[in-house]
């Protein structure tokens, strides 16, 4: 972070009521070039057809042109290029993704860095998504602490229906203006919200939502839920609870844990009213309250309810279990959906590249598995991850057999071949 951004962040932290009236002057050619060095330069191009390679080849000219337009007030936010991407295995339909032009993506990222310096001081500890120095494993660790060490027995699992397409522009502008009073920055955000999306040559304008794909969208969507959910829960809901209550959110996914049933029932009612006020809605089919935690097993046994239910969060299935000494333990294993999605990717890759050399296939599948292990390599996950590894090997065998009909192979023939070996899973996050 540059010295100027550090100073802004420090001021925002020291004075929580300060509004920043002069920020646009930070958008200099030097700042844009610094931002360019932090961006993914392999991303696709937008509606103007310009690639990142073309933009980078004339970076000096491009950033000067952007700064000139900003200074003259003539910058125009082009519509994003909308593409539809599959939602994944087991899901019907597609998810819209908005791809800005390279120049617009750079400017969005630069403004996002400035806003991040301001609002990072305001975001609460319960929020983990789209924030520097935080990742899903931090959220999983915090959730584990809440369930294992706190007095909670009720878990409220929620899903927001089509969150990114329902964000109210008017409310969002008010939330940004809570800290930002620079008309140039506010004007840019307004232009991006109104830019629309181009699909099949037609520009479609939306009255609400932020297009997924732009660098500014994650921060704006995080800011929206900061005001709608995080602050409201901290200031209004927790003081009214009889027992302990904890909110944990990663982007638009959140889990709330409570000590008493009356508190979670009160929250269930109030959160629907709160969301409706800001144009949001819970997906009822994915929202539920369950008994979960240290005391859930005893309560379920007392009332003849069987074993406590499970819930999913950030790709993991959370289960009430016991350790070797018989004490309560939170067991987290990769969810069926996560495994199915990964195996669909490996199967597609293997079928499309089954004529590669075998050692090259081994090298690429090893990278894919290690990437999967890097995220899901938690305690209790080794057995499930090694099952995934075995399924990948079976996919590989089937693909090898499709090369021709004369020589058929099987597991017994290949299991000891050096080129067929794939890495086993390890516990890569012992503290999570």
């Amino acid at each position: 972070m540059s010295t100027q951004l550090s100073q802004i962040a420090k001021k925002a932290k020291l004075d929580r009521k300060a509004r920043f009236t002069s920020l646009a002057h930070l958008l200099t050619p030097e700042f844009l070039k610094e931002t360019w060095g932090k961006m993914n330069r392999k991303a696709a191009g937008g509606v103007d057809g310009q690639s990142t390679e073309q933009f980078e080849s004339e970076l000096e000219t491009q950033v000067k042109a952007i700064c000139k337009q900003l200074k003259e007030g003539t910058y125009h936010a082009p519509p994003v290029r909308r593409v539809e991407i599959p939602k994944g295995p087991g899901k019907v339909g597609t998810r819209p993704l908005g791809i800005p032009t390279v120049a617009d993506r750079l400017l969005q990222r630069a403004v996002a860095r400035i806003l991040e310096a301001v609002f990072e001081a305001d975001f609460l500890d319960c929020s983990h998504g789209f924030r520097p120095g935080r990742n899903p494993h931090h959220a999983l660790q915090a959730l584990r602490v809440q369930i294992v060490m706190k007095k909670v027995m009720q878990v409220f699992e929620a899903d927001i229906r089509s969150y990114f397409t329902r964000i109210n522009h008017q409310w969002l502008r008010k939330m940004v203006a809570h800290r930002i009073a620079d008309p140039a920055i506010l004007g840019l955000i307004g232009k991006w919200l109104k830019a629309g999306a181009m699909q099949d040559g037609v520009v479609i304008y939306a009255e609400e939502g932020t297009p997924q794909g732009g660098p500014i969208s994650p921060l704006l969507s995080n800011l929206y839920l900061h005001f709608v959910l995080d602050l409201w829960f901290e200031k209004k809901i927790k003081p009214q609870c009889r027992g302990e209550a904890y909110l944990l959110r990663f982007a638009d996914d959140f889990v709330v844990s409570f000590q008493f049933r009356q508190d979670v029932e009160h929250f269930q009612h109030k959160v629907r009213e709160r969301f409706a006020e800001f144009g949001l809605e819970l997906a009822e089919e994915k929202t539920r309250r369950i008994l979960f935690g240290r005391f859930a097993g005893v309560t379920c046994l007392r009332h003849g309810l069987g074993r406590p239910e499970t819930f999913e969060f950030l790709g993991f299935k959370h289960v009430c279990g016991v350790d070797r000494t018989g004490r309560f333990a939170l067991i987290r294993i990769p969810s069926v959906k996560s495994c199915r999605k990964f195996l669909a990717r490996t199967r597609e890759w293997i079928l499309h590249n089954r004529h590669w050399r075998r050692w090259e296939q081994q090298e690429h599948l090893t990278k894919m598995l290690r990437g999967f292990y890097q995220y899901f390599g938690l305690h209790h996950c080794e057995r499930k991850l090694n099952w995934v590894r075995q399924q990948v090997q079976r996919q590989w065998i089937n693909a090898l057999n499709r090369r021709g009909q004369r020589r058929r192979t099987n597991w017994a023939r290949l299991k000891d071949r050096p080129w067929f070996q794939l890495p086993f899973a390890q516990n890569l996050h012992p503290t999570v």
Side-chain angles (χ1 to χ4, degrees):
M1 183 181 289
S2 68
T3 304
Q4 289 176 308
L5 292 184
S6 299
Q7 292 173 348
I8 291 172
K10 184 177 180 180
K11 182 179 179 181
K13 189 173 183 179
L14 290 174
D15 187 357
R16 297 300 177 92
K17 295 183 179 180
R19 296 184 73 221
F20 293 82
T21 58
S22 179
L23 295 171
H25 70 278
L26 297 174
L27 298 171
T28 62
E30 292 72 25
F31 186 77
L32 292 180
K33 285 189 287 186
E34 179 187 321
T35 302
W36 178 256
K38 301 175 180 292
M39 291 178 60
N40 173 21
R41 295 191 287 278
K42 295 182 180 180
V47 295
D48 61 355
Q50 186 182 41
S51 66
T52 54
E53 292 81 7
Q54 292 172 325
F55 186 90
E56 190 167 29
S57 66
E58 47 191 36
L59 180 61
E60 191 73 31
T61 304
Q62 293 282 358
V63 296
K64 286 182 178 178
I66 293 173
C67 292
K68 182 181 178 182
Q69 294 175 39
L70 291 174
K71 189 174 182 179
E72 296 174 351
T74 59
Y75 184 83
H76 173 70
V80 298
R81 180 169 65 88
R82 175 174 288 179
V83 295
E84 301 288 338
I85 58 174
K87 287 189 175 181
K91 287 191 174 183
V92 179
T94 57
R95 178 182 290 108
L97 183 68
I99 303 176
T101 62
V102 182
D104 199 54
R105 185 185 302 126
L106 172 59
L107 185 56
Q108 284 194 34
R109 183 69 188 96
V111 173
R113 290 179 66 197
I114 297 172
L115 295 182
E116 192 176 80
V118 175
F119 286 105
E120 183 61 25
D122 296 347
F123 290 151
L124 305 183
D125 285 340
C126 64
S127 169
H128 292 266
F130 306 139
R131 295 182 61 185
R134 297 190 177 217
N135 59 42
H137 290 130
H138 293 127
L140 290 166
Q141 184 180 27
L143 181 60
R144 179 181 177 274
V145 169
Q146 292 173 11
I147 292 176
V148 174
M149 304 183 69
K150 305 297 181 180
K151 299 177 182 178
V152 298
M153 197 174 69
Q154 307 276 339
V155 167
F156 182 77
E157 178 189 12
D159 184 84
I160 305 175
R161 192 184 306 280
S162 304
Y163 170 64
F164 293 95
T165 62
R166 289 173 173 261
I167 294 175
N168 183 282
H169 290 177
Q170 186 176 357
W171 276 117
L172 180 58
R173 288 193 185 95
K174 290 181 180 179
M175 293 169 184
V176 175
H178 182 73
R179 282 287 225 166
I180 308 297
D182 187 325
I185 298 294
L186 295 175
L188 280 173
I189 294 173
K191 289 178 180 180
W192 286 321
L193 293 176
K194 294 178 180 178
M198 180 179 289
Q199 189 169 19
D200 300 325
V202 179
V203 179
I204 303 170
Y205 297 98
E207 297 297 325
E208 57 185 12
T210 60
Q212 297 182 65
I216 194 98
S217 297
L219 190 142
L220 293 178
S221 59
N222 203 27
L223 180 64
Y224 198 77
L225 278 182
H226 166 72
F227 282 98
V228 174
L229 181 62
D230 302 354
L231 277 179
W232 170 75
F233 181 84
E234 191 69 24
K235 302 294 184 181
K236 296 292 184 181
I237 296 298
K238 284 188 74 171
Q240 297 176 5
C241 291
R242 290 179 52 229
E244 297 183 13
Y246 304 95
L247 167 70
L248 194 134
R249 180 174 66 82
F250 190 93
D252 61 323
D253 294 329
F254 69 95
V255 172
V256 195
S257 49
F258 295 90
Q259 183 176 359
F260 296 119
R261 187 183 67 182
Q262 297 92 327
D263 293 337
V264 68
E265 289 175 346
H266 174 74
F267 175 78
Q268 275 184 291
H269 174 68
K270 291 296 182 180
V271 73
R272 288 178 172 85
E273 294 181 352
R274 177 71 175 179
F275 276 12
E277 183 181 351
F278 291 89
L280 302 179
E281 178 187 1
L282 289 176
E284 297 297 338
E285 66 277 8
K286 299 179 183 179
T287 300
R288 61 188 182 133
R289 171 177 62 87
I290 63 172
L291 282 170
F292 198 93
R294 287 186 292 161
F295 314 106
V298 176
T299 304
C300 288
L301 185 65
R302 184 186 303 148
H303 293 88
L305 300 176
R307 297 183 63 181
E309 294 184 76
T310 63
F311 70 93
E312 294 184 10
F313 185 63
L314 296 180
F316 286 90
K317 179 181 179 182
H318 291 66
V319 183
C320 287
V322 294
D323 60 17
R324 293 177 180 177
T325 63
R327 295 183 301 179
F328 173 79
L330 176 63
I331 298 174
R332 297 158 298 179
I333 56 178
S335 67
V336 172
K337 174 183 170 184
S338 300
C339 295
R340 188 187 299 135
K341 187 175 180 179
F342 176 74
L343 290 173
R345 281 179 49 225
T346 55
R347 181 177 182 275
E348 182 180 7
W349 186 89
I350 290 170
L351 291 177
H352 279 84
N353 301 281
R354 63 179 180 271
H355 295 294
W356 280 26
R357 295 172 182 171
R358 291 173 178 178
W359 67 268
E360 291 178 328
Q361 292 177 325
Q362 179 198 38
E363 184 178 2
H364 189 85
L365 291 174
T366 295
K367 289 181 180 179
M368 295 182 75
L369 277 170
R370 282 181 174 158
F372 193 67
Y373 298 161
Q374 185 61 38
Y375 183 80
F376 289 101
L378 271 60
H379 190 49
H380 300 120
C381 292
E382 289 92 338
R383 180 182 297 180
K384 188 71 171 181
L385 294 180
N386 285 325
W387 175 85
V388 169
R389 169 187 172 275
Q390 190 178 59
Q391 295 306 305
V392 172
Q393 287 183 311
R394 292 187 186 280
Q395 293 175 345
W396 195 4
I397 291 175
N398 291 336
L400 292 173
N401 284 330
R402 293 179 67 172
R403 283 183 167 187
Q405 298 181 356
R406 288 190 176 183
R407 292 191 348 177
R408 309 290 290 181
T409 189
N410 56 40
W411 189 276
R413 290 179 180 177
L414 296 181
K415 65 178 182 178
D416 295 323
R417 300 287 179 90
W419 60 264
F420 190 67
Q421 304 306 308
L422 295 176
F424 285 90
Q426 294 179 327
N427 181 6
L428 301 175
H429 306 283
T431 61
V432 175

